[in-house]
Amino acid sequence: MYKSCLNRPKTRWAGVVILAGLFLFSCKTSKKVTVTKDMKTRLDNLLATVPDFSGVLLVADQGKIVYHKAWGYRSFETKESMDTASVFELASVSKQFTALTIMQMKEAGKLSFDDPIDKYLPGLPYTGVTIRHLLTHTSGLPDYQEIMDKYWNKTKVAGNTDNIAYLIQYHPPRLFEPGEKYAYSNTGYMLLASITEKVSGQDFITFCRTRFFGPAQMTQTDIRTVAEKKQLPNLAAGHIYVKEKQQYVPADSFPQFNYAIWLGNRKGPGRVSSTSADLLKWDRILYSGKIVKPETLLEAFSPTRLNDDSLSWYGFGWKIRQSKKGKVVWHNGDNPGYATQFERYIDADKTIILLSNNAHPKIPDILQSVEAIVEE
């Protein structure tokens, strides 16, 4: 379901889980793709009953699209119709790409998941934090955006170097000891992107283009500035509903959007924009072993053991849950005007991609209903 599964009951897992997972990766058998008219009709009816929903839904079985439709508008002002080729801001769905830059560096022998972060980012006043803590949101680091919002000159555009400098200068206190608990952290993923740049010697955006978007032939996917996104002819612009006006208004006309401008050069926590079709290409290449080895990816799809021996159901850039069809790895994204969800049923090889440019309040209900249909 759409809600977080990070507080699921504790389960036992050990090396046998890794071995079982590797077996599934290497021995996945071909299953017949069954698409019923009833499934398509039910999905049609589901979205047709949600007033004002704007976005794209894609459902795939073993990489074959069984449902792919668009609703609403790319722009509520011009009434330009949405289509399945529209580009959306992915928000935190972007975190999987950041995590994979680190996984590639680990496979290349250039770092370890358990390296302390001050090995690569000296001067940060937070001891005991490892790369693994950043990947799994268990670092206890404070929110860099809060400190930037308080002190940064917003007539300028900040990037990771500025964010790190302000964390060092103002030294906001840590939230808890590393590994003590899970707490979602954009700071951690901002730092991961900077570690990738330090270790690889390559700009993070260039790294993602050459290592991920290019090999997967994701021709509509990139890490774009606000200005670059506005130049896209097929951009699905984010919108927010204003009750007083009884209409959707561009998200960039609201103050809460402004951080996307003055933090416009940040890398790691978000900023990837893409299409549903490109995300399906990404889904497929992840099964191929061409991005990282299956055993490395399996670690990203495994829960995290905390200091008290309990489990957090977040791996490396992916949330984790169990379904009727086996393990599901997923992530949601939330930016002003956008709500996104990418779900991969890695045992059953099914995929759900839902992208909305009006952050419709019924998104959780839509996802729950789509999941129920897919899991039958």
Side-chain angles (χ1 to χ4, degrees):
M1 293 173 59
Y2 182 78
K3 65 181 181 179
S4 172
C5 301
L6 299 173
N7 295 319
R8 288 182 178 272
K10 190 186 304 183
T11 58
R12 298 182 61 191
W13 65 288
V16 65
V17 176
I18 302 295
L19 293 174
L22 290 173
F23 180 82
L24 287 171
F25 268 100
S26 60
C27 302
K28 187 176 288 184
T29 57
S30 176
K31 300 175 183 178
K32 184 178 180 181
V33 177
T34 56
V35 185
T36 65
K37 183 178 180 181
D38 177 64
M39 174 189 285
K40 292 183 176 180
T41 300
R42 290 169 68 189
L43 290 171
D44 276 339
N45 291 341
L46 168 65
L47 272 301
T49 58
V50 182
D52 297 329
F53 171 74
S54 185
V56 173
L57 172 64
L58 184 153
V59 176
D61 190 342
Q62 299 176 61
K64 297 181 179 179
I65 295 175
V66 298
Y67 191 87
H68 196 194
K69 289 192 177 182
W71 291 263
Y73 306 106
R74 284 179 178 165
S75 168
F76 281 76
E77 293 67 52
T78 65
K79 303 301 181 185
E80 180 185 4
S81 295
M82 184 74 70
D83 63 31
T84 56
S86 298
V87 173
F88 292 78
E89 174 63 51
L90 297 185
S92 286
V93 172
S94 307
K95 285 182 169 64
Q96 62 193 272
F97 299 103
T98 305
L100 278 161
T101 67
I102 295 294
M103 287 188 268
Q104 283 200 347
M105 293 297 93
K106 189 263 187 182
E107 285 193 348
K110 295 185 177 182
L111 56 75
S112 166
F113 295 145
D114 296 311
D115 285 343
I117 62 173
D118 53 12
K119 178 178 179 180
Y120 306 102
L121 303 174
L124 279 172
Y126 306 102
T127 59
V129 178
T130 67
I131 290 175
R132 188 183 299 274
H133 289 136
L134 301 185
L135 287 166
T136 58
H137 297 290
T138 57
S139 68
L141 292 176
D143 183 1
Y144 79 93
Q145 188 170 328
E146 286 186 7
I147 205 71
M148 296 299 285
D149 189 28
K150 186 174 182 179
Y151 295 107
W152 181 251
N153 178 356
K154 297 184 178 66
T155 65
K156 301 178 180 179
V157 180
N160 286 22
T161 300
D162 303 303
N163 299 328
I164 293 170
Y166 272 48
L167 285 172
I168 294 172
Q169 179 179 351
Y170 294 101
H171 190 180
R174 68 170 83 229
L175 306 178
F176 52 84
E177 289 300 310
E180 182 179 311
K181 60 183 178 180
Y182 166 94
Y184 196 81
S185 174
N186 282 315
T187 300
Y189 273 73
M190 181 271 294
L191 296 178
L192 287 171
S194 293
I195 290 172
T196 291
E197 292 187 327
K198 179 79 171 181
V199 173
S200 69
Q202 192 173 27
D203 174 75
F204 178 80
I205 297 175
T206 302
F207 189 106
C208 291
R209 288 170 177 167
T210 57
R211 302 289 190 100
F212 303 150
F213 309 151
Q217 299 182 27
M218 299 168 72
T219 58
Q220 296 297 306
T221 304
D222 205 350
I223 300 174
R224 301 174 168 102
T225 64
V226 172
E228 287 170 340
K229 279 182 279 192
K230 286 186 175 181
Q231 295 300 312
L232 293 173
N234 57 337
L235 175 69
H239 291 78
I240 295 174
Y241 186 73
V242 178
K243 187 176 181 180
E244 293 75 15
K245 295 183 178 181
Q246 295 189 338
Q247 65 184 31
Y248 283 94
V249 176
D252 60 10
S253 62
F254 290 83
Q256 60 261 45
F257 178 84
N258 291 345
Y259 80 89
I261 299 172
W262 55 265
L263 284 177
N265 290 334
R266 72 198 184 285
K267 304 169 188 175
R271 283 189 59 202
V272 175
S273 50
S274 186
T275 66
S276 51
D278 267 11
L279 285 177
L280 183 60
K281 293 178 183 178
W282 179 243
D283 170 74
R284 302 326 296 168
I285 201 170
L286 285 178
Y287 286 110
S288 71
K290 294 178 181 179
I291 300 299
V292 291
K293 298 174 184 177
E295 55 266 32
T296 303
L297 200 56
L298 183 62
E299 189 167 2
F301 296 161
S302 299
T304 301
R305 190 166 293 281
L306 302 175
N307 295 346
D308 65 358
D309 214 32
S310 64
L311 296 180
S312 164
W313 291 86
Y314 193 103
F316 299 168
W318 294 93
K319 301 176 185 183
I320 306 157
R321 69 177 177 89
Q322 291 295 325
S323 75
K324 295 177 182 178
K325 297 292 184 180
K327 181 183 283 189
V328 181
V329 295
W330 63 282
H331 215 293
N332 59 301
D334 180 12
N335 267 13
Y338 291 99
T340 59
Q341 184 104 344
F342 184 18
E343 302 190 13
R344 305 181 66 240
Y345 289 69
I346 56 176
D347 292 333
D349 196 1
K350 297 177 184 291
T351 314
I352 298 172
I353 298 166
L354 182 64
L355 308 174
S356 171
N357 71 324
N358 68 338
H360 199 284
K362 292 291 185 181
I363 290 289
D365 298 327
I366 294 170
L367 282 163
Q368 186 174 353
S369 298
V370 173
E371 289 165 356
I373 293 170
V374 169
E375 293 176 17
E376 287 180 350

